């Protein structure tokens, strides 16, 4: 999802940064949403660039690669 989105928006040269609502899954606010807890009580959300141990995730690499491959 990160890669597909960034491949589209980075076509605009005015885009120079990406903002995520948090940077590590250790503190993501998504795991505190009651609707998520009801639907998947034993499944943690892992949407951010770094995992619970502050190691890069697939999202991190997708963000990095999208910027690296951006057409000048």
């Amino acid at each position: 999802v990160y890669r597909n989105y960034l491949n589209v928006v980075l076509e605009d040269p005015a885009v120079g940064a990406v903002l995520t609502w948090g940077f590590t899954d250790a503190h993501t606010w998504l795991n505190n949403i009651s609707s998520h807890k009801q639907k998947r009580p034993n499944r943690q959300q892992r949407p951010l660039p770094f995992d619970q141990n502050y190691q890069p995730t697939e999202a991190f690499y997708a963000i990095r690669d999208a910027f690296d491959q951006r057409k000048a």
Side-chain angles (χ1 to χ4, degrees):
V1 170
Y2 277 88
R3 188 177 319 278
N4 291 341
Y5 173 75
L6 289 171
N7 285 339
V8 172
V9 300
L10 289 177
E11 290 179 5
D12 185 335
V15 177
V18 172
L19 174 68
T20 61
W21 288 15
F23 72 97
T24 173
D25 294 334
H27 304 290
T28 180
W29 59 275
L30 292 172
N31 289 321
N32 296 323
I33 297 174
S34 61
S35 62
H36 169 70
K37 287 182 179 181
Q38 291 171 356
K39 292 178 188 175
R40 306 234 185 214
N42 298 317
R43 182 176 175 202
Q44 294 282 5
Q45 290 292 314
R46 297 176 298 277
L48 297 170
F50 295 90
D51 68 15
Q52 291 181 341
N53 297 313
Y54 299 88
Q55 298 300 306
T57 64
E58 289 183 44
F60 169 85
Y61 294 110
I63 293 168
R64 183 197 64 187
D65 294 348
F67 275 99
D68 286 350
Q69 295 171 6
R70 181 182 204 172
K71 295 176 185 171

